[in-house]
Amino acid sequence: MSRISAFTARLYRGEVGYDFVGKRKIWYSISVLIAITAIVGLGVRGINESIDFKGGAVFTTPKTSISVEEAVSDAQSASGKTALVQKLGNGSLRIQIADITTTQSDPIKAELAKDLKVDQNAITADLVGPSWGSTIANKAWTGLIIFLVLVVIYLAIAFEWRMAVAAFVALLHDIVITVGVYALVGFQVSPGTVIGLLTILGYSLYDTVVVFDSLKEQSKGITKQTRYTYSEVANNSINSTLVRSINTTVVALLPVAGLLFIGGGFLGAGDLNDIALSLFVGLAAGAYSSIFIATPLVAELKEREPQMKALRKRVLAKRAKEEQAGGPGGEASPLPAGAGPTPAVAGPRDRPRGGRSSGSTGRRR
């Protein structure tokens, strides 16, 4: 544990780290590939909407020895439509059949009782109209749009518009991947899924704001020094909050994984999957986007500013001059913990320890 604590402290101080910003094209390519896969899956397979959106009936049978496969065959034969059957913990079956009306449900119920060899009166039928799910979906989309607009406004005021743009891109990235996974896996999209999706957007934004806040603090007065470029400071912000982001994500994923794999998978509580999968995928995508997408994108946008271009030129010129003089050269000293860039310090502490890094940080790995 002491080694982990020491490594965490060195990571926070910027003495060690990974070049997330310098390798941003790799992360962008991975995200684009995942997003294209998700969009293709969405276009080819589409969203498997639950009966809450399409309307239909849910039949709950008493305890029966009929297998799920046999029940699916019987239900589809009785209704002429696709049926979804789940085995409940008490041995009963939950049969969902979409696109049927009230007048169709009674004959189907009688046929199911006959095929499953149970008392017809023991089968309960709950009818769901398509308008209910449609209303929920419309309100969810309205809430999502309002959420995104407020997020952009808040980040633009609290930080700056470039961070607002980067956070917005990261949120869209998380939405596309999560919805795409649902299309590829074939899980049903229910109102619970929508709730889960809105929940993970809040988490994703929180993780991104933590890094942005660190970046804001560390980049104060950055143009008054000549040791670090903006990308280097941004990279240090990611590394200094990396352990916190990982810990937060792991702690959040553990209970969600329990719901998804234990509750929904082994115990057969299929309804948990509706919300657990969106939370699981969204949490993982949110942590990824805050580290690999949002902050590198901010750094890329900031480096296009004239003052940041001038700063980069001064930093590189100074390093080249120091390298020729046998000084620190291309190596940037560790950033002070939690503080903005400081003036260059000549001496053994800044002496090069190896070749120049090709990444934007210019540090040795």
Side-chain angles (χ1 to χ4, degrees):
M1 293 298 293
S2 59
R3 290 185 177 181
I4 296 177
S5 300
F7 176 77
T8 302
R10 294 183 64 200
L11 198 65
Y12 182 76
R13 291 194 298 267
E15 296 174 359
V16 294
Y18 186 78
D19 191 4
F20 295 100
V21 175
K23 293 181 171 60
R24 59 182 176 272
K25 291 184 179 178
I26 296 176
W27 320 132
Y28 293 169
S29 301
I30 293 174
S31 291
V32 169
L33 183 62
I34 295 175
I36 290 175
T37 304
I39 292 172
V40 170
L42 191 61
V44 174
R45 296 175 62 92
I47 290 293
N48 181 19
E49 295 179 325
S50 70
I51 64 170
D52 298 309
F53 296 103
K54 296 186 291 188
V58 179
F59 300 95
T60 304
T61 73
K63 183 178 180 180
T64 176
S65 59
I66 299 294
S67 67
V68 171
E69 290 77 15
E70 291 174 323
V72 170
S73 176
D74 292 339
Q76 292 184 162
S77 176
S79 64
K81 298 181 181 299
T82 301
L84 176 65
V85 178
Q86 295 171 321
K87 191 86 172 181
L88 303 182
N90 58 1
S92 61
L93 297 175
R94 186 172 186 266
I95 304 171
Q96 298 182 52
I97 304 176
D99 297 326
I100 62 173
T101 62
T102 304
T103 55
Q104 294 173 311
S105 68
D106 288 339
I108 293 173
K109 180 179 176 181
E111 190 69 21
L112 281 175
K114 180 181 176 182
D115 294 337
L116 301 179
K117 298 179 177 57
V118 296
D119 184 4
Q120 179 178 343
N121 295 326
I123 299 178
T124 60
D126 297 318
L127 295 173
V128 180
S131 60
W132 184 82
S134 177
T135 302
I136 293 294
N138 290 334
K139 289 183 177 179
W141 283 114
T142 303
L144 177 62
I145 293 172
I146 294 174
F147 169 78
L148 292 176
V149 171
L150 292 178
V151 163
V152 171
I153 294 174
Y154 167 75
L155 290 178
I157 295 174
F159 297 96
E160 61 172 296
W161 70 266
R162 293 169 186 81
M163 291 183 176
V165 170
F168 183 73
V169 171
L171 289 176
L172 290 182
H173 168 276
D174 300 341
I175 293 174
V176 170
I177 290 179
T178 305
V179 175
V181 168
Y182 264 86
L184 292 171
V185 174
F187 274 23
Q188 283 196 68
V189 174
S190 67
T193 307
V194 178
I195 294 171
L197 185 63
L198 293 176
T199 303
I200 59 100
L201 291 181
Y203 172 83
S204 174
L205 181 65
Y206 166 79
D207 219 26
T208 302
V209 167
V210 168
V211 183
F212 283 178
D213 192 54
S214 173
L215 176 57
K216 181 181 178 182
E217 288 298 318
Q218 294 196 24
S219 61
K220 283 182 179 177
I222 189 172
T223 56
K224 299 177 182 177
Q225 52 83 49
T226 55
R227 282 178 75 177
Y228 309 105
T229 66
Y230 189 90
S231 292
E232 291 168 351
V233 175
N235 196 66
N236 184 70
S237 299
I238 299 175
N239 282 286
S240 64
T241 56
L242 183 62
V243 174
R244 177 180 177 176
S245 297
I246 292 175
N247 288 339
T248 305
T249 302
V250 170
V251 169
L253 280 177
L254 286 177
V256 176
L259 287 176
L260 180 61
F261 299 111
I262 305 299
F266 291 105
L267 301 182
D271 289 347
L272 293 178
N273 289 336
D274 296 344
I275 188 170
L277 182 63
S278 64
L279 289 173
F280 189 84
V281 176
L283 286 172
Y288 173 85
S289 64
S290 64
I291 296 172
F292 295 96
I293 303 298
T295 308
L297 184 56
V298 170
E300 189 168 358
L301 293 174
K302 288 289 290 185
E303 289 285 4
R304 297 180 182 180
E305 291 183 333
Q307 59 268 35
M308 295 305 164
K309 289 181 179 178
L311 172 63
R312 170 171 285 274
K313 188 178 295 185
R314 293 198 302 272
V315 171
L316 296 181
K318 180 179 179 181
R319 289 178 187 170
K321 185 177 179 181
E322 290 175 342
E323 190 172 10
Q324 289 177 353
E331 294 291 333
S333 300
L335 288 171
T342 56
V345 178
R349 181 167 173 264
D350 289 332
R351 194 173 299 282
R353 293 166 293 178
R356 183 192 298 270
S357 170
S358 60
S360 66
T361 64
R363 295 179 195 166
R364 183 183 182 186
R365 304 294 169 212

